[in-house]
Amino acid sequence: MAASNNRKNSKNHVSALVIALGVTGLVVITMLGIGINALFNNNIGTVQAAAAPQTVDINSLTIDELKDLVTQYQGREAQYQNELAKAADQVNTANTQIEQYKALLNDLQNAGVIQIDRKGNVTVLANSVPAGNHEHEENERFWEHDD
């Protein structure tokens, strides 16, 4: 009986191995086909064409065309400057909010309402809960920072 179980198991292993090799071969053939297609495909998609830098032969342009080109570049520069200014404003706003949160946490800690340990775990101290507000008495530690 043990010999027939061993034969069944080995047949199952062989079948599984053949199927696994077949699937792996299909994946390899598909990947090669995609790679070869990408290698020999000369079509450029619209996203790639839009991202490609514009090259201009300056020697063949007239004065008016050069002025127009300079105006276009100045417009782009102004747009980039505006985007940079907005990003700087967002960073400044975020930094201000962080400082306000730090000050609030510091004030709460100095008032004895919370305690923050070295790992960043925040504990609301039981004696600081106002009368009638017993929501967190059973679970004093409800903000924890996992490290």
Side-chain angles (χ1 to χ4, degrees):
M1 177 133 249
S4 72
N5 279 345
N6 284 339
R7 282 187 215 142
K8 280 185 179 180
N9 284 339
S10 67
K11 285 182 182 180
N12 287 340
H13 288 296
V14 170
S15 298
L17 182 63
V18 168
I19 291 171
L21 288 173
V23 170
T24 303
L26 270 169
V27 170
V28 167
I29 290 170
T30 303
M31 288 176 60
L32 281 172
I34 292 171
I36 290 170
N37 184 28
L39 185 63
F40 292 109
N41 188 357
N42 292 330
N43 295 335
I44 296 177
T46 56
V47 173
Q48 293 169 332
Q54 180 182 0
T55 57
V56 177
D57 182 15
I58 295 176
N59 296 329
S60 67
L61 295 177
T62 66
I63 298 294
D64 289 336
E65 290 172 330
L66 287 172
K67 286 180 182 178
D68 184 47
L69 190 60
V70 168
T71 303
Q72 287 177 14
Y73 287 144
Q74 288 172 340
R76 287 184 197 161
E77 181 183 4
Q79 178 186 355
Y80 296 148
Q81 292 295 335
N82 287 337
E83 290 176 12
L84 282 173
K86 286 179 186 176
D89 287 344
Q90 289 174 345
V91 168
N92 289 336
T93 301
N95 285 335
T96 301
Q97 288 176 342
I98 289 170
E99 291 304 317
Q100 290 172 346
Y101 289 135
K102 284 181 181 178
L104 175 63
L105 287 173
N106 192 29
D107 290 345
L108 289 172
Q109 198 168 14
N110 289 339
V113 176
I114 63 171
Q115 182 177 5
I116 303 173
D117 65 14
R118 290 183 182 171
K119 290 184 176 181
N121 295 327
V122 177
T123 305
V124 177
L125 302 175
N127 59 356
S128 66
V129 176
N133 188 357
H134 302 286
E135 288 179 31
H136 300 289
E137 274 188 9
E138 293 95 24
N139 188 7
E140 232 179 66
R141 180 173 276 198
F142 62 96
W143 286 350
E144 289 197 9
H145 178 67
D146 294 328
D147 282 337

